[in-house]
Amino acid sequence: LATLTKLQLLDPDLPTSIIGKSVADVMSIEWIQRWSEVGFLAIADSNGDGILQINEFFMRTGIVVLATPEIAGLPYVVSGLVAAGGMAAAMSTADGLLLAIANALSHDLYYKIIDPKADTKKRLIIARILLVAIGAA
């Protein structure tokens, strides 16, 4: 997705390209104004010719996925879906790591060191307690 988005912006042969256009025209594009205001995008006419060159366009990495629906002219609902997908991926990763940490502590610390003769039920209860404690921390 990131590669295709950058290609849409940087390839002068495509209609969505901004490279080779006048800096004033590019700065009048609504999504460029919005992302410039929050500091995710910058345009600097360093050679003063008024034409945007590839080395005068600066984009942070986080903007690529978030701004793709705007660049493509899609409705804002798509931006919400993209943000929800990112949030779901982050929460899924955090959940998996939290579960792995709690189970590792339960097995390696409690079962191996504290109570090697603990039955499965007690080890499961300890793992759940550690899961809640680590999640609250």
Side-chain angles (χ1 to χ4, degrees):
L1 180 66
T3 303
L4 292 175
T5 301
K6 286 182 180 179
L7 177 68
Q8 289 289 324
L9 294 174
L10 303 179
D11 188 354
D13 296 329
L14 296 174
T16 54
S17 173
I18 58 173
I19 302 302
K21 292 185 178 176
S22 73
V23 174
D25 289 345
V26 173
M27 289 304 292
S28 68
I29 299 173
E30 189 176 337
W31 68 266
I32 289 187
Q33 292 173 358
R34 271 187 287 208
W35 288 102
S36 295
E37 287 173 6
V38 293
F40 276 83
L41 187 135
I43 293 174
D45 189 14
S46 26
N47 59 3
D49 65 351
I51 304 295
L52 184 64
Q53 310 294 326
I54 195 163
N55 61 343
E56 297 173 336
F57 179 70
F58 305 99
M59 210 167 49
R60 283 191 170 177
T61 55
I63 187 179
V64 176
V65 173
L66 296 173
T68 298
E70 283 183 83
I71 294 168
L74 297 172
Y76 289 110
V77 173
V78 176
S79 296
L81 292 173
V82 169
M87 182 61 91
M91 294 201 50
S92 173
T93 302
D95 176 46
L97 291 172
L98 182 65
L99 189 60
I101 291 169
N103 285 333
L105 287 175
S106 168
H107 183 267
D108 295 345
L109 197 64
Y110 182 77
Y111 180 63
K112 295 284 185 180
I113 297 173
I114 297 174
D115 189 5
K117 296 180 182 177
D119 61 340
T120 306
K121 184 178 179 182
K122 188 170 185 180
R123 288 173 31 203
L124 183 62
I125 291 170
I126 296 296
R128 288 181 180 168
I129 291 170
L130 284 171
L131 183 69
V132 171
I134 294 169

